[in-house]
């Protein structure tokens, strides 16, 4: 049985269809990502999974339970960190952890959790005085304090600096190593690529793709890029005639050729044939960013 199962989920706000037939299943122990542009229906979907909104149609199950009808049982199994969570400014880290632990019959040891999340030095610090990264760690701790089997993390690293994001990723990996299933909503492709076993791309309330990050990248047509500055210009038509070549652009004085493995293999012999030297030659693999733009047609 999957840990989280969403089948043909529909949810509208008045006339606006926020979720329009979403289906996916998250296996136990998985880190499953939900990616998509603003307003795609990601938060509405996970709010239905958490039992915070009732679906108009479709089924949602968490460990076989219905979060809308069996909300109390589901809150024992599922920890939730939602986008734009806030706490009272004067609450200290210790008070927040104690308070949230008191909501659960069998809470985790909150002191151990604080230590694991690097918050042991902040126990007496009020919420208002915490940095963005410390707040995020506190929200992760609060989502885990009920000792859940699964956790929803919604836009966990928004607003964090690169180090904060990397530290948080290490935490998410640590959570999974502890046996907790993770449903992760994110805007950051790098985050999904690094963390997720599988990703559902949601666009306009529907799942437009569901695959491993590698599978999504392979599915998006353009796989590799060659960029260089040439001492003598290469003929655009020559580049586009290479096998698998898709496009040629000039970016900051550099030529950027997009294609696939065959394009890269044929590129160097072309330079030799034309007697052209390419300076600062860089070959890069496509990222989930490229795949995402391909799959959503989104401008972000
Ligand atoms: P973002 O990435 O911007 O957080 P999202 O993918 O999480 O977006 P949702 O927050 O689920 O998307 O919103 C889906 C759609 O439903 C949007 O058009 C949004 O404006 C609308 N919506 C969300 N919550 C409400 C609400 N409480 N009342 C009315 N409309 C809402």
């Amino acid at each position: 049985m999957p840990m989280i199962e969403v089948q043909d989920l529909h949810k509208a706000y008045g006339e606006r269809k926020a979720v329009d037939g979403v289906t996916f299943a998250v296996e136990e122990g998985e880190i499953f990502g939900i990616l998509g542009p603003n307003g795609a229906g990601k938060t509405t979907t996970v709010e239905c999974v958490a039992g915070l909104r009732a679906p108009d149609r479709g089924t949602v199950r968490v460990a076989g339970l219905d979060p809308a009808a069996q909300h109390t049982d589901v809150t024992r199994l599922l920890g939730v960190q939602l986008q734009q969570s806030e706490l009272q400014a004067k609450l200290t880290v210790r008070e927040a952890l104690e308070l949230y632990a008191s909501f659960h019959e069998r809470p985790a040891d909150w002191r151990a959790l604080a230590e694991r999340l690097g918050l042991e030095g902040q126990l007496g610090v009020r919420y208002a005085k915490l940095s963005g990264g410390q707040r995020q760690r506190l929200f992760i701790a609060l989502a885990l304090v009920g000792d859940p089997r699964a956790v929803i993390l919604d836009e966990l690293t928004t607003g964090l600096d690169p180090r904060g994001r990397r530290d948080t990723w290490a935490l998410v990996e640590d959570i999974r190593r502890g046996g907790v299933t993770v449903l992760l909503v994110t805007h950051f492709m790098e985050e999904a690529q690094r963390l997720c076993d599988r990703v559902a791309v949601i666009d306009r309330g529907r799942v437009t793709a569901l695959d491993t990050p590698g599978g999504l990248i392979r599915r998006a047509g353009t796989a590799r890029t060659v960029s260089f500055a040439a001492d003598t210009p290469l003929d655009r038509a020559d580049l586009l005639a290479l096998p698998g070549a898709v496009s040629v652009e000039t970016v900051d004085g550099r030529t950027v050729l997009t294609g696939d493995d065959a394009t890269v293999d044929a590129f160097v012999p072309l330079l030799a044939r034309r007697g052209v030297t390419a300076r600062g030659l860089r070959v890069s693999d496509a990222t989930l960013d490229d795949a995402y733009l391909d799959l959503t047609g989104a401008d972000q």
Side-chain angles (χ1 to χ4, degrees):
M1 177 173 58
M3 178 56 82
I4 296 170
E5 202 167 9
V6 174
Q7 193 97 44
D8 198 28
L9 178 68
H10 288 74
K11 179 76 190 173
Y13 301 104
E15 292 293 292
R16 170 144 207 112
K17 286 183 187 170
V19 178
D20 192 19
V22 162
T23 298
F24 63 87
V26 183
E27 299 303 326
E28 186 155 15
E30 218 178 357
I31 301 180
F32 187 94
I34 297 186
L35 275 182
N38 288 124
K42 305 179 298 294
T43 297
T44 304
T45 300
V46 296
E47 285 175 344
C48 290
V49 172
L52 300 170
R53 289 193 190 280
D56 296 336
R57 192 144 58 86
T59 48
V60 178
R61 293 289 178 269
V62 176
L65 303 171
D66 178 350
Q70 295 159 286
H71 188 61
T72 312
D73 293 327
V74 167
T75 53
R76 287 199 192 105
L77 300 170
L78 183 68
V80 182
Q81 171 269 325
L82 282 179
Q83 203 182 341
Q84 290 157 358
S85 304
E86 280 296 339
L87 287 175
Q88 267 195 14
K90 287 189 174 170
L91 214 57
T92 65
V93 169
R94 177 186 293 107
E95 286 164 349
L97 286 165
E98 278 177 342
L99 177 68
Y100 276 63
S102 75
F103 298 155
H104 297 276
E105 272 171 35
R106 278 183 294 276
D109 174 352
W110 64 260
R111 285 178 188 281
L113 203 53
E115 201 168 309
R116 187 168 148 211
L117 289 160
L119 286 168
E120 69 276 20
Q122 272 78 41
L123 289 176
V125 180
R126 295 189 196 283
Y127 176 71
K129 300 279 180 201
L130 296 174
S131 73
Q134 289 166 340
R135 286 182 190 192
Q136 291 296 44
R137 275 183 278 160
L138 175 58
F139 284 119
I140 299 176
L142 297 178
L144 293 175
V145 80
D147 200 14
R149 286 173 60 194
V151 70
I152 294 175
L153 303 174
D154 190 0
E155 296 198 17
L156 186 66
T157 60
T158 302
L160 296 188
D161 64 19
R163 176 169 296 279
R165 281 173 67 193
R166 274 168 201 283
D167 288 350
T168 310
W169 294 346
L171 276 176
V172 174
E173 283 167 341
D174 191 38
I175 291 168
R176 187 253 288 274
R177 265 195 299 278
V180 178
T181 305
V182 180
L183 179 59
L184 180 82
V185 178
T186 182
H187 279 293
F188 298 113
M189 308 312 129
E190 193 192 351
E191 183 164 296
Q193 201 168 350
R194 156 83 188 263
L195 289 177
C196 297
D197 299 304
R198 289 186 305 143
V199 177
V201 179
I202 296 190
D203 195 13
R204 277 161 251 155
R206 292 168 182 268
V207 175
T208 53
L210 198 165
D211 208 334
T212 58
L216 291 179
I217 291 166
R218 279 194 298 279
R219 204 185 292 195
T222 56
R224 305 191 76 189
T225 305
V226 179
S227 73
F228 58 95
D231 56 352
T232 39
L234 270 166
D235 191 357
R236 220 181 115 77
D238 264 358
L239 290 170
L240 283 172
L242 292 173
V246 177
S247 66
V248 177
E249 293 166 275
T250 307
V251 181
D252 297 332
R254 293 171 62 81
T255 304
V256 180
L257 166 67
T258 305
D260 59 18
D261 288 345
T263 319
V264 177
D265 291 346
F267 173 70
V268 175
L270 173 72
L271 289 179
R273 279 201 306 280
R274 299 284 180 265
V276 172
T277 307
R279 284 174 285 112
L281 180 67
R282 279 202 292 272
V283 180
S284 37
D285 289 333
T287 62
L288 199 53
D289 259 324
D290 304 308
Y292 170 80
L293 290 174
D294 240 50
L295 290 165
T296 61
D299 196 17
Q300 58 173 322

